[in-house]
Amino acid sequence: MTVYTTMDSPLGELLLVGEESATAKGGIALASLSVPGQKYGAAVQANWSEDAEAFTEIVSQLRSYFDSRLTRFDIEYVSGGSDFQQRVWKALEAIPYGTTLSYGEIATRIGAPRAAVRAVGTAIGANPLLVVRPCHRVIGASGALTGYAGGLERKRQLLDLENVHQAA
């Protein structure tokens, strides 16, 4: 069963979508975390059930992150995406809080040629779990902020929260 809730955040209202899971803390595996106006963001569907209580653990972790008290999430995710996307997303999850990597560095980490930066960027852009799967920590080779489905201003907000200062 698909459930959802919304929560206020410094990025605006977040839409959290999840699936019931016997192994997840709180019983919900996170399928999507979207911000308003997000490219490819989730939209509430008629057959989904609103259930704020089901997301208590996830919301608690997000609030702790936004309050700078949490640097690594412990949330079960709904699996999805192609094999390549999963490799890229796993590499995102390994980027430590407060650090950044370039698209080329992600390509290298997953064993793809550095020329695969466009494919890496496409996979990152398809990440359904903004914030918790930290695609905001991926920047251009020059250190510039580039591409973020939630908008570059939100990417800057997240990096500022983590005290990462990059070239504009």
Side-chain angles (χ1 to χ4, degrees), residues 78-99:
V78 173
S79 61
S82 69
D83 288 341
F84 183 78
Q85 287 173 326
Q86 288 179 20
R87 288 176 28 225
V88 170
W89 296 344
K90 185 172 180 152
L92 294 179
E93 292 168 14
I95 303 172
Y97 180 93
T99 62

Side-chain angles (χ1 to χ4, degrees), residues 44-128:
V44 176
Q45 304 296 307
N47 61 334
W48 294 358
S49 298
E50 187 169 10
D51 187 352
E53 277 189 38
F55 290 91
T56 301
E57 174 63 28
I58 294 168
V59 167
S60 175
Q61 288 189 44
L62 284 163
R63 291 200 193 291
S64 292
Y65 170 80
F66 288 122
D67 290 341
S68 299
R69 293 182 287 117
L70 182 76
T71 60
R72 186 164 183 81
F73 293 98
D74 183 18
I75 296 173
E76 182 178 309
Y77 308 133
V78 173
S79 61
S82 69
D83 288 341
F84 183 78
Q85 287 173 326
Q86 288 179 20
R87 288 176 28 225
V88 170
W89 296 344
K90 185 172 180 152
L92 294 179
E93 292 168 14
I95 303 172
Y97 180 93
T99 62
T100 58
L101 292 176
S102 72
Y103 294 89
E105 289 170 318
I106 294 291
T108 299
R109 285 185 178 209
I110 66 166
R114 286 187 74 86
V117 293
R118 286 184 192 261
V120 166
T122 299
I124 290 171
N127 172 22

